[in-house]
Amino acid sequence: MHDNDKRNEAGGCRLFHFLKPVACGSSRRAVRRHFSVKPGGTYSDISSGPTNILIMFRPAGIYGRAGEDMVRGLYTSGWSMLALQKKMDVITNNMANASTYGYKKDITVMESFPDLMTKIVRDPDSLSKRPRNIGTMELGSDVSEVYTNFSQGQLSKTDNETDMAIKDSDSAFFTIAAPDADGNIAVFFTRDGSFTRNSENVLVTSDGHYVLGENGPVILREGPFSVDEYGYILQDGEIIDRLLITEFTDTTVLRKFGNNLLQAGEDAQTRAFTGTIQQGHIELSNVNIVREMVDMISVMRAYEANSRVLQAIDSTLDKAVNQVGAVR
């Protein structure tokens, strides 16, 4: 099998021409295929010949010059360092909020570039119109997503009548009325049950936002009150309101807004509350500080390793340009 690899600059694209022997019935024939590689790693098949032939694409550098692999190593190490920096930001944010009531930790999901950049997304020759693989390219990894772990944190007993915690349900939240980014009052959600009374005897969060009940903001009377496991607020022997607990069928629709508040997407769906309310308790964060420290050390070591690789390649290229390639 023989491969011809020719590269031309045309309209900001690099053209790769491959001559491959392809089985055709009982005989074998050579078919030339052309791939256009645009900046950013988008590949497209611009051949005019038959399209029902499987072509396995191999990145430039495997058949090309060794220097191309070296330059690619710079991008691999540099991009990995950027991804590790994003992961470090998430870890440090988790550690900073380890003592925040009801805080839910974030977790980074890393994804490798072969899954991101070596598929034909729009293939006019494909009958199924689905993305199809055209090969592999090892160019490091990047942060695919950052998702929130909504598992319940430990409950701490405070015996404060305004402290409340949700138990036995990871997808249930207290409902809060607070200003949004535009200054309009909107509905938010939180697991932080460290509530207080304001000067008007209204139950509010530590930031002064209204805690909502089924009748609107929870307005208390003078004197003590109690909350049962179903969220009913009793005072002077009668029910004055019930906490508005919102339980979601899918917590992936929730996004962090800030100040320990969550905002739901338009497609959020709710269900009946299946947990219980614990008065006189408060939920701690679900951050494991020891685990976060271990992850931080791992990220720092990986960052340093990529930094050393980048420096070594840079030093080699410097010698190749200024010493080996010098005109004497």
Side-chain angles (χ1 to χ4, degrees):
M1 181 174 66
H2 176 68
D3 295 332
N4 287 335
D5 179 5
K6 299 179 181 179
R7 286 171 285 275
N8 301 302
E9 299 296 333
C13 305
R14 301 179 73 187
L15 303 183
F16 291 77
H17 309 282
F18 289 85
L19 186 61
K20 298 274 188 178
V22 179
C24 181
S26 59
S27 62
R28 295 171 64 87
R29 60 189 176 89
V31 177
R32 185 179 297 274
R33 306 298 289 169
H34 307 274
F35 287 87
S36 171
V37 183
K38 300 179 180 180
T42 303
Y43 310 142
S44 60
D45 188 349
I46 59 174
S47 304
S48 57
T51 59
N52 59 346
I53 301 169
L54 177 62
I55 301 295
M56 295 304 295
F57 177 82
R58 301 186 69 181
I62 295 178
Y63 300 116
R65 295 180 294 272
E68 294 179 350
D69 287 331
M70 188 172 296
V71 174
R72 183 186 302 162
L74 283 172
Y75 287 104
T76 301
S77 299
W79 197 270
S80 296
M81 291 171 69
L82 291 175
L84 291 170
Q85 186 175 359
K86 296 176 185 177
K87 187 173 182 179
M88 179 65 77
D89 291 340
V90 173
I91 293 174
T92 53
N93 185 63
N94 287 339
M95 296 179 64
N97 288 279
S99 59
T100 301
Y101 297 137
Y103 175 80
K104 302 303 177 184
K105 67 177 181 179
D106 292 325
I107 300 175
T108 55
V109 178
M110 308 295 288
E111 187 172 6
S112 60
F113 270 97
D115 296 330
L116 290 174
M117 299 183 64
T118 56
K119 293 179 182 288
I120 295 181
V121 179
R122 298 182 185 89
D123 185 9
D125 298 330
S126 176
L127 297 178
S128 64
K129 302 300 183 183
R130 295 179 179 176
R132 62 186 178 92
N133 294 330
I134 59 173
T136 59
M137 177 176 284
E138 299 293 338
L139 283 179
S141 59
D142 193 12
V143 175
S144 173
E145 64 172 322
V146 178
Y147 78 93
T148 303
N149 181 1
F150 286 100
S151 61
Q152 179 179 308
Q154 293 184 353
L155 301 186
S156 176
K157 188 175 182 180
T158 64
D159 291 328
N160 187 350
E161 65 176 3
T162 59
D163 286 341
M164 302 173 203
I166 298 175
K167 185 180 179 182
D168 300 328
S169 177
D170 295 340
S171 57
F173 302 86
F174 298 107
T175 310
I176 308 297
D180 59 12
D182 299 325
N184 302 317
I185 300 299
V187 175
F188 295 92
F189 309 95
T190 187
R191 294 280 293 200
D192 182 4
S194 57
F195 304 139
T196 59
R197 299 189 194 204
N198 65 6
S199 59
E200 299 174 347
N201 244 7
V202 180
L203 194 65
V204 296
T205 66
S206 56
D207 293 321
H209 304 313
Y210 290 152
V211 178
L212 296 181
E214 293 183 345
N215 301 322
V218 177
I219 302 176
L220 303 171
R221 302 171 183 171
E222 293 292 341
F225 70 96
S226 62
V227 180
D228 66 10
E229 62 180 0
Y230 302 106
Y232 288 100
I233 303 173
L234 296 91
Q235 198 167 21
D236 299 330
E238 62 177 298
I239 298 175
I240 62 173
D241 205 343
R242 185 186 184 186
L243 291 173
L244 182 58
I245 306 297
T246 305
E247 183 166 331
F248 295 93
T249 58
D250 183 12
T251 54
T252 59
V253 299
L254 299 174
R255 296 292 180 268
K256 290 187 176 181
F257 178 78
N259 296 324
N260 218 8
L261 298 177
L262 299 167
Q263 197 168 26
E266 296 180 356
D267 56 343
Q269 296 182 355
T270 60
R271 61 189 177 194
F273 179 44
T274 58
T276 59
I277 302 298
Q278 302 291 311
Q279 187 181 20
H281 293 74
I282 200 163
E283 182 181 358
L284 306 179
S285 73
N286 63 353
V287 176
N288 186 332
I289 194 67
V290 176
R291 179 62 186 175
E292 298 299 321
M293 286 291 294
V294 172
D295 289 344
M296 175 178 285
I297 294 173
S298 299
V299 170
M300 291 176 62
R301 288 178 176 175
Y303 190 93
E304 292 173 358
N306 278 280
S307 177
R308 287 194 294 268
V309 170
L310 192 147
Q311 292 174 359
I313 295 176
D314 181 66
S315 176
T316 304
L317 289 175
D318 178 69
K319 293 180 179 180
V321 172
N322 296 308
Q323 298 181 22
V324 178
V327 178
R328 300 182 185 278

